[in-house]
Amino acid sequence: MGERLHLTRWQVGRLLKEALAKGIVRIEIVHPRARSHTLETDLVERTGLREAIVVPSDTDPATTRQAVAQAAADYLADLTTTPRTLAVSWGQTMSELARAIAPSWADGVTVVQANGGLSRPGPGDPAAIITTLARQARGSTLFLPAPAVVESPELAAALLREPSIAEVTGVARGADVLLFSLGAVTQESVLVQSGCLSLADVTHLLAEGAVGDAVGRFIGADGAIVCPHIDARSVGLQLADVAAARLAIAVAAGSAKHAVAEACVRRGLCHVLVTDEDTAVELGRRFIAAPIS
């Protein structure tokens, strides 16, 4: 290569070093077992997903979550057609995905917030996620200036009619790709820690049969909304918008996400699922016991 470009070995080395520093070039060692292709094929056949990305599970839940987030970041960066608009939800897994995304993964992408944010700072900060994804794509950001869940349905409806918020949700609704992580219903939820939901709300959701949330919308085992009153207090894309997305990529890691991952797939809320081996095996078992309709 040096001879063809009339460069010395030293010059080639210096250029490669600069390219690595700027993110133009990446050097990776990809282990042949980094993805479980047999499980991926099996999951697609059983569930009707367009695609499944499955990575090894670890005994440490945090390590598993990081591996799934990295796999989702790689999948996004490797899409055949780079999205011009990317709608994203937020959470701890999405934070790790943003940190894992490759520099210059795309060029000129508009990253838009798919649902409202946090009432106060907490883990999974949407601003940091959106800003990082856009910066690494030399793109722009579009934020949704409202909490994920507000005090009343009337307030939520008024916010959604506000022109600046309506514009953002409109862009998110028409995005080329919708990317979101699935959340569990627990007292440790980011929505609870941030003050968007109360412990009483969590208790009520569990009593109504909620198994988790997709883009801030709490669903039951059948993938339908479980508590219309709380759903009416939510600001962002509706569940119907998620189901109608051009390409919806759901990310789920760990045993706490088994039920919500199943519900998401059964309801057709995602085209692609990025997950870990244990979750994939469990979903395969559940879809054998109760095939998709």
Side-chain angles (χ1 to χ4, degrees):
M1 180 63 72
E3 292 178 357
R4 291 175 60 187
L5 296 176
H6 305 290
L7 298 172
T8 67
R9 181 181 299 178
W10 179 86
Q11 288 173 315
V12 171
R14 180 172 57 80
L15 289 172
L16 280 174
K17 185 177 181 180
E18 290 178 1
L20 285 166
K22 293 179 179 179
I24 299 171
V25 172
R26 283 190 295 163
I27 298 176
E28 296 180 311
I29 299 174
V30 180
H31 192 280
R33 295 183 62 184
R35 281 176 55 180
S36 304
H37 296 288
T38 300
L39 278 176
E40 291 175 354
T41 301
D42 183 68
L43 197 56
V44 167
E45 291 176 350
R46 293 186 190 281
T47 64
L49 286 164
R50 288 186 196 172
E51 198 167 356
I53 310 299
V54 180
V55 297
S57 303
D58 192 273
T59 54
D60 177 22
T63 301
T64 298
R65 186 175 65 242
Q66 290 168 3
V68 171
Q70 180 68 68
D74 293 343
Y75 180 82
L76 177 64
D78 291 340
L79 284 174
T80 303
T81 302
T82 301
R84 306 315 304 163
T85 51
L86 169 67
V88 298
S89 186
W90 45 270
Q92 292 183 353
T93 304
M94 289 297 293
S95 288
E96 295 187 7
L97 185 156
R99 288 194 292 269
I101 198 75
S104 303
W105 68 271
D107 188 18
V109 178
T110 297
V111 184
V112 56
Q113 189 172 334
N115 61 317
L118 305 177
S119 300
R120 55 177 180 262
D125 175 47
I129 294 166
I130 292 166
T131 300
T132 300
L133 288 171
R135 183 179 64 247
Q136 299 290 62
R138 294 187 293 273
S140 58
T141 58
L142 199 53
F143 296 103
L144 186 59
V149 185
V150 295
E151 290 185 354
S152 69
E154 293 76 18
L155 178 55
L159 286 170
L160 288 168
R161 288 194 299 269
E162 205 282 325
S164 64
I165 292 178
E167 177 188 4
V168 176
T169 55
V171 174
R173 194 174 295 115
D176 297 320
V177 175
L178 171 62
L179 175 67
F180 60 97
S181 58
L182 297 171
V185 189
T186 68
Q187 295 182 356
E188 291 74 36
S189 165
V190 173
L191 287 171
V192 175
Q193 294 179 37
S194 70
C196 289
L197 287 180
S198 67
L199 294 180
D201 288 330
V202 172
T203 300
H204 182 65
L205 284 165
L206 291 171
E208 292 294 313
V211 296
D213 79 276
V215 196
R217 303 289 174 173
F218 289 92
I219 57 178
D222 60 353
I225 295 296
V226 294
C227 183
H229 180 74
I230 291 179
D231 191 66
R233 291 164 47 200
S234 302
V235 179
L237 293 183
Q238 303 282 341
L239 201 64
D241 298 326
V242 178
R246 296 177 184 177
L247 175 62
I249 305 169
V251 187
S255 59
K257 309 296 178 63
H258 289 177
V260 69
E262 178 187 6
C264 180
V265 173
R266 286 195 183 280
R267 193 72 178 187
L269 299 178
C270 65
H271 304 106
V272 179
L273 178 65
V274 186
T275 192
D276 59 276
E277 286 181 344
D278 290 348
T279 301
V281 169
E282 178 62 18
L283 287 181
R285 185 189 66 79
R286 294 185 183 201
F287 275 83
I288 290 176
I292 190 169
S293 57

